[in-house]
Amino acid sequence: MPEGAWARAGHGIAAFVAGAAILVVEFAAVRLLAPAFGQSVLVWSVVIGLVLVALAVGYALGGRLGERCASTRPLFLAWLLAALWIALAAWQGAALCRALLPRGLPTPGGLPLGFRGGALATLLLFCAPAMLLAMTTPFLLRRDAARGREGRATGRLYAAGTLGSLTGCWLAPLVWLQTLGTALTLAVTAAAVGGLGLLGLLLARSAGAAAPVAPGPPVPPSRRVLALALLAGLAVTVIEFAALRLMSPWFGQSNPIWANVIGTLLLALALGAYAGGRLADRWGGDAATGPGRLGGLLGLAALWLGLAVWCAPALLEWLLPAGVGSMDLLPVAFRGSLVATVLLFGPPLTLLGAVPPMLVRAAARGHPGRVAGAVLAWGTVGGLLGCLGTAPLLVPLLGSRGALLLAALLAAAGAALLGLPARRAPRAALLVGAAAALLGLGWQVAARPALRHHAGQVEELESPYQTVRVVRQRVGLQVPPEDHAPVPALLGVGGEADTLFLRHDEDAETYQSLLLADPERSRRWLTGGRYFEHLALGACFAGLEARERTLRVLLLGYAGGTVHRTLRQVLPPDLRLKVLGVEIDPGVLEVARRHLAHADLEGPGLRLVTGEDARTVVNALPEDERFDLVLVDAYARTNYLPFQLASVEFFAAARRHLAPGGWVGVNVLGNGWRSPVARAVAATMGRALGPTYAVPNPSYPGNVILWAAPGASLGPRLRADLELHPALLPAGHALERLLLRHDPARDGGVVLTDDRSPSDRLADAELGL
Amino acid sequence: MLGGLLAFLAFLAFQGLLTPAPVAAEDLPEATRRMAALALAEGRWEDLGPILGGAHTAAQRWPLLVARGWWRLGDAAPPAAPEPDDALDALTARRLAWLAAGGREPYPIPGPNEREPWPVLAALVADRQEREGPARARGSPADPLSDLAARMDPEAEARTRWFLGENHRWQMSVSYRSLPPTPEEVAARERAEELAARNGWLALAALAGLLLGVALWLWRGERGDAG
């Protein structure tokens, strides 16, 4: 007999906790590995991919074990083992990562720097606990499922697990990792899993309480069932990744938006699983997976998705129209993303969420646990393919719209596997949906229409990381006065110029790079008073050990090369320039070469590393490589200084590569010196490098440049023999007249470490969320 | 008679009337001093060389020495303290020693019987030391120059006072958001708040719609025929 209501409730809680724990471990894994192996798309994909493989193995194992074991004690023993493993990761994970650090800069055509180390660390630290926890749902299913009611038991447990994933998806990146840090988050998770595992052991029933195994050997699910599971899992993952990217030109990819979108999609999946399970039992057996039932649902999902993709831009533009400023955007975007996700993707995800319990109900034949394990495992394999393929391949090749249309086609293919529905309406839905998706995909590939049109937009490119846009606008800027008018020399005078901006995602005001369209103005006005000049001012500091009269610069966050260009334009005439630039997104360089005259900058004085995380490159630098300037101008997902580029450990690593007299400069975007992010970074630099100095940009008050040099007893000093470029005078004045030394006692600031860095949360709070 | 003359000379020497008087900055033409002060206030350090080209003594060339030895740095080491020189006033001598030591100690200020020859420079150096030093005693925004104002020559140009009084360093203390918003910014913010409120209600409605849709689907499915 199946378990009583209390036991079923307990199993639901166990599935919930397992789902939450798996997501927390996944996020913590990415966070733990980032300082050593970076967060490039390929490295991130291999880490999550390996965890998904472990999940698939766990699902399959859990189903088989659940059929054989009379009590739940083996499951909760597995939980204890998982807890121990997670605790070990918390204790020694960082040390293992340091031991696996890659050495030497990447070679062209080779694997990303962090690939091998990241894969090995994931295998050793996180695959085992993920596998053990994944056993939970299929293991418990047989105990919950009465014959003929396997569907609702599957739906209930699956929904509970998905809700747990939703909880983990919110708790981990937004709260725990930001406040507790990585090691403590893992430790808390280990304690929770271990504690509940102990409780489960105490409450475990004897063998007599288990449902009897059906006579005869288990019948494995048909290939059609497994193919449907794979297609559904693939479609769901493609939708999850591509939906976020489709909406990013309006809402961005900040943590709250990400958690909002993924959380809503998980909620829809959970609802679909619950409803699908109950309906599967109602429809009964093979009928559940007949063309008239599941086939119709998949056809409807394909149709909705196919139409939603084309309605999306109009809806998104209505929810978040152009003209909303960067500082006011996040509250509008947060709520708007919820609306858009529910309306555009909620129904298809709900329908796709119904697939696994229907498949289990159809194929159970007295062995629901084993079948559920197989269905979940193959669904996870589909998820793995989606995870590995969507961001790095599908979105750059087809665009996010194309990827979503492909997901619609996958749903239609799943329906086709079940045969054409007999009734007119479901048949029409399937055929129209498939046709719309196919035609739309063809047009998307051929024409590549832009997702969003900004005034003056010249090009839009969807890279593995973001949507990059080049926009040409006539804008006001600060320019050096023709005469030495005194006061305006500090701020420059107002001017106007056609400017090419390289923006990303939802950026309407900020930019990654820019170039004044007129070469002569670019030479005279540089970047019109923007922060690039304040960073490039470092080339004019005294005391740099310009060995062989060469200024060696490490530029992290190279983007389109604006800082590099400015350095070349302001370089003292007695110096040569050598730059090692690191840019994680090759798409940015691609666009810069087409529109920002990047070819002017290429040559023997420039070494560019693309596709790599800047932290990984710094870790891998040869021991004897030295730089006179280390400039950090790296931002991820518009608003965030990557935490692994703003920690004590990072600045300590940068310090090892500083030449005597060298300086580290960091661009911080936010609320000026009042920004808690700026003060946190200053406090962190102070801990690793010594006295840290903040210089505002009066022309663009959101930016602060932080400077620090080990052993410096005075603040940065310009060279006395140097005649500054006229456009650099305001930056020079700001350095000399506005610079403030960070005083930890008075100015505060959280010290950021690799383990604990609330920088994302501070940035979100500054933007009103 | 000769003895009387010698005695008179001895008396004068005793009084210090016969020792060479230090050549003070005040001995520069007024126009030169004003031009130099203006250049300092306006950050035109590179103009000090031509302006003070006619100056000969350390006291008169003091802003130039600071420009090249502390405010900005040259490749060469800071100028060494000169040999004792009867023409060097005590304040300048202290300042030269300060410069030779790297300028890490507080900037020497005039004593009770001394006069500040370069008030703008003194204010700038003291201000920069305060900002770069480990423990700052900041004045309040209402009194931007704080105690620095007390060191300034009250006869300094009005424009110089205005420039220093603006004291752009206080921009750093002012939150970007708390700067008085323009009418356009106010309108944009109100519009964003309206959009956020509207989207909030829409989000609730959409979620309710999804839940209702699933509930309806379940209800219809469970009331329908079994498969």
Side-chain angles (χ1 to χ4, degrees), chain A residues 507-554:
Chain A
D507 265 345
E509 294 165 3
T510 58
Y511 33 79
Q512 297 190 56
S513 297
L514 64 88
L515 178 69
L516 269 59
D518 180 71
E520 179 58 23
R521 284 185 173 173
S522 172
R523 189 187 62 77
R524 283 171 46 219
W525 295 356
L526 300 180
T527 63
R530 293 182 173 86
Y531 76 89
F532 308 98
E533 290 152 25
H534 291 250
L535 268 180
L537 190 67
C540 305
F541 289 177
L544 302 178
E545 187 191 277
R547 191 170 49 176
E548 296 168 4
R549 311 311 293 169
T550 300
L551 186 74
R552 300 157 296 176
V553 180
L554 175 61

Side-chain angles (χ1 to χ4, degrees), chain A residues 190-229:
Chain A
V193 169
L196 287 169
L198 270 174
L199 184 63
L201 275 179
L202 291 172
L203 297 175
R205 296 283 189 98
S206 64
V213 177
V219 178
S222 67
R223 281 184 202 164
R224 189 174 72 165
V225 165
L226 298 180
L228 277 167

Side-chain angles (χ1 to χ4, degrees), chain A residues 152 264 267-268 271-272 274-276 278-279 282-284 287 293 297 318-324 327-328 331-333 335-336 338-339 342-343 346-347 350-351 354 358 484-491 542-543 549 670-674 679 693-698 701-702 713-722 724 729 732-743 746-747 766-768, chain B residues 38-47 67-75 102-105 120 124 127-138 159-160 162-164 166-179 185 188-211 213-215 217-227:
Chain A
R152 63 184 60 206
T264 306
L267 177 66
L271 288 172
Y274 182 77
R278 294 183 73 96
L279 289 173
R282 185 78 177 106
W283 294 336
R293 302 289 190 188
L297 297 180
W318 181 72
L319 288 169
L320 183 45
V324 177
M327 298 302 286
D328 302 319
V332 184
R335 294 171 185 127
L338 191 52
V339 178
V342 171
L343 291 180
T350 305
L351 296 170
M358 289 193 175
H484 273 289
V487 170
L490 185 65
L491 298 177
R549 311 311 293 169
N671 214 355
W673 186 227
R674 279 274 188 236
R679 294 186 184 216
Y693 304 93
V695 184
N697 181 353
S713 55
L714 294 174
R717 290 291 191 275
L718 297 177
R719 282 172 51 176
D721 59 337
L722 200 58
L724 288 181
L729 286 174
H733 286 313
L735 183 87
E736 293 176 332
R737 301 291 282 269
L738 302 181
L739 174 146
L740 262 180
R741 175 171 166 164
H742 174 257
D743 180 353
R746 184 181 292 274
D747 302 322
E766 221 171 323
L767 291 168
Chain B
L38 198 60
L40 285 168
E42 295 167 3
R44 292 182 285 109
W45 295 82
E46 62 280 0
D47 289 349
R68 293 174 180 170
W70 187 84
W71 191 267
R72 296 180 182 178
L73 291 176
D75 285 341
R104 291 169 186 78
E105 295 301 317
V120 173
L124 286 171
D127 176 59
R128 192 170 185 181
Q129 282 196 314
E130 185 192 9
R131 287 183 284 107
E132 289 184 347
R136 292 192 306 280
R138 291 194 204 169
R159 191 171 194 173
T160 305
W162 172 83
F163 182 79
L164 290 177
E166 274 292 302
N167 206 346
H168 295 283
R169 67 185 167 115
W170 296 113
Q171 287 192 19
M172 298 183 68
S173 303
V174 175
S175 158
Y176 181 62
R177 282 183 184 275
S178 69
L179 287 171
E185 285 173 344
R189 193 152 296 162
E190 285 172 357
R191 180 168 175 255
E193 286 167 3
E194 283 170 14
L195 287 172
R198 180 202 68 179
N199 287 353
W201 286 113
L202 285 173
L204 285 174
L207 276 171
L210 182 69
L211 290 169
V214 171
W217 179 35
L218 257 179
W219 178 74
R220 281 201 60 191
E222 293 203 322
R223 282 174 65 91
D225 294 334

Side-chain angles (χ1 to χ4, degrees), chain A residues 334-402:
Chain A
F334 184 77
R335 294 171 185 127
S337 64
L338 191 52
V339 178
T341 307
V342 171
L343 291 180
L344 296 172
F345 306 111
L349 262 290
T350 305
L351 296 170
L352 286 167
V355 170
M358 289 193 175
L359 294 178
V360 171
R361 175 65 178 85
R365 294 184 175 85
H367 296 275
R370 182 187 286 253
V371 170
V375 166
L376 284 173
W378 280 92
T380 305
V381 170
L384 170 66
L385 294 174
C387 169
L388 291 178
T390 308
L393 285 174
L394 289 182
V395 171
L397 283 176
L398 306 177
S400 46
R401 248 197 301 241

Side-chain angles (χ1 to χ4, degrees), chain B residues 136-158:
Chain B
R136 292 192 306 280
R138 291 194 204 169
S140 69
D143 179 18
L145 283 176
S146 65
D147 58 336
L148 296 178
R151 300 182 212 175
M152 281 197 66
D153 188 328
E155 295 167 4
E157 273 197 355

Side-chain angles (χ1 to χ4, degrees), chain A residues 11-23 59 136-137 154-170 236 240 261-274 349-350 352-354 356-357 376:
Chain A
H11 295 167
I13 291 170
F16 178 94
V17 171
I22 289 170
L23 257 288
Y59 290 138
T136 305
T137 295
T154 307
R156 205 167 43 232
L157 282 176
Y158 196 68
T162 307
L163 288 175
S165 299
L166 190 163
T167 306
C169 159
W170 272 87
V236 164
E240 282 182 0
V261 171
I262 299 299
T264 306
L265 296 178
L266 288 174
L267 177 66
L269 281 175
L271 288 172
Y274 182 77
L349 262 290
T350 305
L352 286 167
L376 284 173

